[in-house]
Amino acid sequence: MSFFSTLINGLSLGGIYALIALGYTMVYGIAKMLNFAHGDIIMVGAYAIVTTLGLGLHPLAAIVAAVIVCTLLGIATEAFAYRPLRGASPLAVLITAIGVSYLLQSIAQMIYGSQGIPVTLGAFGAVSVFGTSIQISSLITLGLCVIIMTALTLFVNNTRVGCAMLAVSEDKAAAQLMGINVNAIITLTFAIGSALAAFASTFYLMQIPSASPTLGSMPGIKAFTAAVIGGIGSIPGAMIGGILLGVIEKLALSFPALAPYTTAIEFALLIIILLVKPTGLLGKKRREKV
């Protein structure tokens, strides 16, 4: 495989990690909590696609179904699992998030079993670019990820709701005094993050066409790593961290001597970056109010 092909595949995978990382970083930036069940929402989206395709519907209908299911699940998770703990300690919220993660995995295993289910979203084939064979699915993934991330950035920076999200991120109490419905903004954040997870599950199934109860575990961990590398709470940082991690992973896999240590290399990168810049590449230090 040529370097150009590896780079395209890396950018494609990085786009998937970036979409997932955006869910982590938006929730942390606005609600100041780490939703470790976010990776399992990807898994739920994959099974929503499996179920819809099993009914004989078009793959586009399956993608729409996944977005709807994941969005509703994100809203329900925030309302029933996290909102009652809004004033609780970070440890209580973290334990709850882990509990929600295992609950979703267990429900998926009871319904669909523990074995992977093959998923076919379509035969895309390959195309020749500069004399190099590139998978069309990788180009589609890369293009759509860029569009989605650009749209999200424009939404946050150029709409009233986006400005309200930024205000809540800076200071919840002050935002509430200004008439912003903080609970509604946090719910919307979970909804957007979960919808992004649905798109991520779609693109991930293009790369690895099989759904299993643990499908979202490793992508979720790597996306969280990407969010921390970029600076947890920073939307551009999550994008940069995801792209960087995806490219490094594909480059490492392209060398037989490095392939077995790919995951170790990725987490070593995290450690190095945090040693040099503890807040991440684009992260900012926050002063805690006393």
Side-chain angles (χ1 to χ4, degrees):
M1 184 179 292
S2 69
F3 174 78
F4 182 69
S5 177
T6 301
L7 180 62
I8 293 296
N9 290 334
L11 291 173
S12 174
L13 180 62
I16 296 173
Y17 287 157
L19 286 181
I20 306 170
L22 284 170
Y24 280 112
T25 207
M26 286 182 67
V27 169
Y28 180 82
I30 294 174
K32 297 299 180 289
M33 61 162 288
L34 295 174
N35 179 21
F36 278 112
H38 187 66
D40 296 287
I41 293 179
I42 301 168
M43 174 268 297
V44 172
Y47 277 120
I49 291 174
V50 169
T51 303
T52 308
L53 291 176
L55 297 175
L57 298 179
H58 193 274
L60 288 178
I63 296 172
V64 172
V67 172
I68 293 173
V69 169
C70 288
T71 302
L72 293 177
L73 177 61
I75 293 172
T77 301
E78 190 278 329
F80 296 107
Y82 299 135
R83 188 178 298 178
L85 299 175
R86 192 64 55 80
S89 67
L91 180 60
V93 178
L94 178 61
I95 293 172
T96 300
I98 294 173
V100 172
S101 172
Y102 281 110
L103 174 63
L104 293 176
Q105 289 185 25
S106 298
I107 292 174
Q109 186 169 346
M110 285 189 295
I111 297 174
Y112 296 97
S114 59
Q115 300 300 316
I117 300 176
V119 184
T120 302
L121 285 173
F124 297 99
V127 65
S128 179
V129 180
F130 301 120
T132 302
S133 180
I134 305 293
Q135 293 295 319
I136 295 178
S137 60
S138 295
L139 295 176
I140 292 173
T141 299
L142 178 58
L144 291 178
C145 284
V146 170
I147 292 172
I148 291 171
M149 289 187 287
T150 302
L152 177 64
T153 302
L154 293 174
F155 171 78
V156 171
N157 293 326
N158 298 282
T159 65
R160 290 176 61 88
V161 176
C163 290
M165 294 171 75
L166 293 175
V168 173
S169 174
E170 288 295 327
D171 192 320
K172 289 188 184 67
Q176 195 161 15
L177 289 174
M178 294 298 293
I180 297 174
N181 188 333
V182 173
N183 284 333
I185 292 298
I186 292 177
T187 298
L188 178 62
T189 302
F190 270 85
I192 293 174
S194 299
L196 293 176
F199 285 112
S201 67
T202 301
F203 300 142
Y204 195 75
L205 288 177
M206 291 182 182
Q207 306 274 340
I208 303 176
S210 177
S212 66
T214 57
L215 176 145
S217 298
M218 186 53 70
I221 292 173
K222 290 185 178 181
F224 175 69
T225 302
V228 175
I229 287 174
I232 191 75
S234 168
I235 291 178
M239 298 177 189
I240 293 173
I243 296 297
L244 181 63
L245 209 64
V247 171
I248 288 175
E249 179 172 330
K250 287 298 184 181
L251 288 176
L253 288 173
S254 67
F255 293 95
L258 296 178
Y261 311 103
T262 300
T263 302
I265 292 172
E266 291 172 316
F267 287 108
L269 173 67
L270 170 66
I271 294 171
I272 292 170
I273 289 178
L274 291 183
L275 286 174
V276 176
K277 198 172 189 298
T279 57
L281 295 176
L282 298 184
K284 298 179 181 178
K285 289 185 178 180
R286 291 180 178 270
R287 289 185 298 175
E288 297 294 333
K289 295 183 178 181
V290 179

